[in-house]
Amino acid sequence: MNRGLRAAIFIGLCMLLVGVWVLMYHLNNGQAQLHNQTHSDGPASNACGSFPAEGSNGIGAVLLDGERVGVSDGTVPFYTPNSNYILKCDGTNEFLLCQQAPQSLHCNNAMNAFSQQISQTADDAESLIYRQNVSLQESFSVSKSVNLSHTIIVGISLSSSSENLNNSLYLLQGVYVAQEEYNRTHLNAKLRVLIANFGDSIDTATQTLLQIVDVIEADRKGDNSVVGIVNIPFIATSAADQSLQFRTALQKLAGLNMPVVFPNGASGSESEQVLASTMFHIGVPAVHEGIADAIFARKYLATGSVVVYTDTSDSYSSNLACSFVSQLLQQYFGNCSVPINTLCNQTAYIHCVYYTVNDANSLSASVPEAMGFTPNLIYFAGNASDVKTLMGALRANQQFQQDLGVRILGSDALYQGQFTPVEYAYMDFSAFAFPDEWPDQKLLQNPFVDEYGIDFQGWPPRSGYGFARPNSVATLAYDATDVFTKSIENVSNNGQNPAFIATTVLSAIRQNEFQGFSGYIHFDSQGNPIKKAIVFLIIGDKGIALGKAQMQQMVLGCFLSPAQEPNCLQY
């Protein structure tokens, strides 16, 4: 047989094999039990065609109010805003088939699909987390010595709100860095991460919360691997306080004695109190942050005439404002039992302006009243999107344009905003974490920042927040996950059974101390960090998006342990 004929036969056989493989791939995909997905608009919606419904283990998703919500181990893609994320869809489909046929080609296909997705969207932590989970599944299939018993559930809100969406993506980044770090440095004990999307409303949030309960109850009948939860969206909102269904779901979760670590600080909402016995916060509570903000204002800003924006129906806003005003008046005694309007009426130099959270009209209409008080300082107790609205209304106000000395001070929530350089020029705010806070305090930089850059910069390397620099949401999520991994280590080092239950981890979190990137973490009886560090940021002329924030020479609270930092400034 001549060479030309042999080559032609070889090529023909190769094409035949490829055709058979493609046919089998589609036939196998058709065998998976999938739920049709028709939603096609919104930030988290669908480049994917289908996803698995909730199974007996509680994992899966449902389409509710146009949102794909539920719990995923890597078999449901949540963040797929456009066709650039189609490889993630392939990865989740292949991972579902991999679970049905361990050690099959589907497992390798899932790894390859997620890896290709990551090469195109390097900052996509969801794909990175799922790739870790696939790797653990493969390791467990090959060697039973690999322990897959450590699982945490991470709550996010991939919603139509850009603020919630961005914060959720940053949160997943912080969790991933901690997961990858733990799995890389531990040979036999590994960490799996489940992602729970709470969607865009209190109804979708309730659905997902109930599904988390299903996951935990199913897990306790089998592997008993779920050791905790990082973050529950919506819990600090007035909608949660007013929803009987959401609070009932929280009560079911509380009955499972499952530790929940929140990256942010406690707002003081009624819903949070349902989880009081199992809840911890990495950030300081609103009532303490307001005190720190007032101490900073008195030291660095003019406070001759102060306007305080607050929504008295929102627990976070009202507690921030109450503690801020009380501290300015030097009347804070450890709680906010005195109504904020009573406090504001006690002096002529503080004036309260009342608005409604997420109501642009109430903010715009309030500006003449606020500027009529001729303030040196506006303290905004609320979220970044509302500050953005207020800034637009202020800059259209003639008096504000003429009085260039007015400063706007806010809480850590402002760190998550997207402002223009001109808007940043008016602003100062507190923060629970900042990427340069270690070297700014003459300390050796924590490895977290370098690891974050390695994980998300991509190629060619990109700079700024979300790629090379972690913002406070990513940092606090890293610390929250790190609290779990260090507690797991503590229990394991004390000779506990590797398949320990979540209550053992709960006790370890309560009893131990942790050095986080954001500061020294030791929880009080309410689950709040004791004397936790707060930094204050001013913004350079190009805005925070380019990494131009600078830390003021003022840190309140203890950044290191009391033994290492006995003279830290208190608040």
Side-chain angles (χ1 to χ4, degrees):
M1 187 180 296
N2 62 43
R3 289 184 179 179
L5 181 58
R6 280 184 291 178
I9 294 173
F10 176 78
I11 292 172
L13 286 172
C14 289
M15 292 179 67
L16 178 63
L17 288 172
V18 169
V20 170
W21 184 89
V22 170
L23 177 62
M24 291 303 296
Y25 172 86
H26 287 289
L27 287 174
N28 282 335
N29 270 349
Q31 291 170 3
Q33 187 176 8
L34 299 175
H35 182 84
N36 289 332
Q37 165 66 286
T38 59
H39 185 51
S40 61
D41 55 271
S45 49
N46 199 13
C48 305
S50 56
F51 56 85
E54 180 180 349
S56 59
N57 60 358
I59 293 172
V62 64
L63 191 66
L64 184 63
D65 294 341
E67 296 278 347
R68 190 189 318 131
V69 296
V71 182
S72 175
D73 58 354
T75 54
V76 178
F78 287 127
Y79 184 62
T80 55
N82 53 54
S83 59
N84 291 334
Y85 290 81
I86 193 66
L87 288 166
K88 183 192 293 187
C89 309
D90 294 342
T92 56
N93 287 336
E94 286 292 328
F95 190 32
L96 182 63
L97 296 168
C98 164
Q99 292 178 358
Q100 296 169 356
Q103 301 185 45
S104 68
L105 285 176
H106 294 296
C107 302
N108 188 57
N109 292 342
M111 285 290 289
N112 289 338
F114 287 130
S115 294
Q116 291 177 49
Q117 180 66 68
I118 293 159
S119 70
Q120 296 183 16
T121 53
D123 59 332
D124 178 21
E126 183 185 14
S127 291
L128 285 159
I129 287 171
Y130 292 164
R131 186 173 66 174
Q132 283 281 317
N133 289 351
V134 175
S135 177
L136 300 185
Q137 174 80 22
E138 286 191 300
S139 299
F140 186 66
S141 298
V142 172
S143 173
K144 296 297 182 180
S145 65
V146 176
N147 184 357
L148 277 177
S149 66
H150 311 328
T151 300
I152 62 170
I153 303 170
V154 180
I156 57 172
S157 174
L158 295 176
S159 71
S160 58
S161 163
S162 61
E163 189 172 334
N164 286 342
L165 172 61
N166 289 334
N167 285 348
S168 291
L169 298 178
Y170 286 132
L171 188 149
L172 289 179
Q173 288 185 332
V175 170
Y176 171 73
V177 176
Q179 181 195 26
E180 188 280 332
E181 180 183 274
Y182 183 83
N183 289 342
R184 172 169 39 84
T185 56
H186 291 74
L187 182 61
N188 294 324
K190 303 295 183 179
L191 181 68
R192 181 178 67 150
V193 174
L194 306 182
I195 298 175
N197 182 25
F198 281 64
D200 197 24
S201 70
I202 198 64
D203 292 332
T204 57
T206 303
Q207 163 69 28
T208 300
L209 193 56
L210 288 171
Q211 192 170 335
I212 288 174
V213 171
D214 292 343
V215 169
I216 296 169
E217 289 179 339
D219 175 72
R220 290 188 174 177
K221 296 175 183 176
D223 294 337
N224 203 18
S225 70
V226 179
V227 297
I229 300 169
V230 173
N231 197 46
I232 296 178
F234 289 93
I235 195 170
T237 64
S238 57
D241 288 344
Q242 296 164 11
S243 171
L244 176 61
Q245 291 81 3
F246 187 82
R247 288 168 63 84
T248 300
L250 280 177
Q251 289 167 351
K252 290 183 177 180
L253 179 62
L256 297 174
N257 215 29
M258 179 66 61
V260 183
V261 179
F262 290 88
N264 58 1
S267 70
S269 71
E270 294 178 12
S271 295
E272 285 178 335
Q273 299 312 307
V274 176
L275 297 178
S277 62
T278 60
M279 175 181 66
F280 306 89
H281 287 85
I282 302 299
V284 305
V287 290
H288 291 172
E289 188 176 10
I291 294 171
D293 290 346
I295 294 172
F296 172 80
R298 279 210 305 263
K299 184 174 179 65
Y300 287 102
L301 305 173
T303 55
S305 176
V306 180
V307 165
V308 178
Y309 269 83
T310 183
D311 179 350
T312 56
S313 67
D314 181 84
S315 56
Y316 176 70
S317 177
S318 59
N319 281 321
L320 263 180
C322 168
S323 56
F324 178 82
V325 173
S326 297
Q327 183 65 29
L328 280 185
L329 296 173
Q330 297 185 326
Q331 293 182 3
Y332 190 77
F333 302 109
N335 61 63
C336 277
S337 56
V338 179
I340 184 65
N341 57 338
T342 302
L343 291 171
C344 288
N345 291 335
Q346 289 184 13
T347 177
Y349 81 91
I350 299 176
H351 181 75
C352 282
V353 174
Y354 303 100
Y355 76 100
T356 302
V357 169
N358 298 327
D359 183 349
N361 291 331
S362 70
L363 285 163
S364 299
S366 70
V367 169
E369 177 189 354
M371 293 310 299
F373 196 63
T374 318
N376 307 116
L377 174 66
I378 295 175
Y379 181 70
F380 193 86
N383 62 49
S385 59
D386 282 341
V387 173
K388 180 74 173 179
T389 300
L390 179 63
M391 283 298 309
L394 285 171
R395 292 180 60 201
N397 179 272
Q398 186 174 3
Q399 184 179 347
F400 184 82
Q401 293 173 359
Q402 295 172 349
D403 189 353
L404 300 179
V406 180
R407 300 295 300 168
I408 297 175
L409 175 64
S411 67
D412 177 76
L414 272 62
Y415 198 174
Q416 322 318 326
Q418 298 179 347
F419 302 100
T420 67
V422 174
E423 291 167 338
Y424 272 126
Y426 292 98
M427 296 169 58
D428 305 273
F429 48 85
S430 51
F432 298 150
F434 182 62
D436 299 329
E437 59 186 311
W438 284 72
D440 281 357
Q441 296 181 87
K442 306 297 187 291
L443 298 168
L444 184 65
Q445 179 62 291
N446 188 291
F448 166 64
V449 173
D450 289 336
E451 290 180 1
Y452 181 93
I454 291 170
D455 290 334
F456 302 114
Q457 274 185 294
W459 187 263
R462 288 170 287 183
S463 61
Y465 283 88
F467 304 108
R469 288 170 65 80
N471 73 354
S472 66
V473 173
T475 303
L476 297 170
Y478 170 83
D479 279 352
T481 310
D482 198 44
V483 163
F484 277 115
T485 58
K486 287 177 178 174
S487 297
I488 289 169
E489 288 179 346
N490 177 271
V491 172
S492 300
N493 291 338
N494 288 336
Q496 300 278 352
N497 188 318
F500 50 83
I501 57 177
T503 50
T504 314
V505 176
L506 177 62
S507 297
I509 295 173
R510 285 174 178 157
Q511 297 168 7
N512 290 286
E513 304 169 1
F514 311 89
Q515 179 59 59
F517 181 91
S518 63
Y520 175 73
I521 303 168
H522 183 201
F523 298 109
D524 64 17
S525 58
Q526 282 77 48
N528 294 315
I530 301 170
K531 302 176 183 177
K532 176 86 183 300
I534 300 176
V535 302
F536 291 86
L537 302 180
I538 56 175
I539 309 303
D541 59 356
K542 293 186 179 179
I544 202 168
L546 299 180
K548 298 296 181 181
Q550 298 175 349
M551 196 169 82
Q552 272 279 13
Q553 295 304 308
M554 182 178 187
V555 177
L556 291 173
C558 298
F559 189 71
L560 303 174
S561 70
Q564 296 172 284
E565 196 178 9
N567 298 318
C568 55
L569 294 174
Q570 300 301 308
Y571 54 86

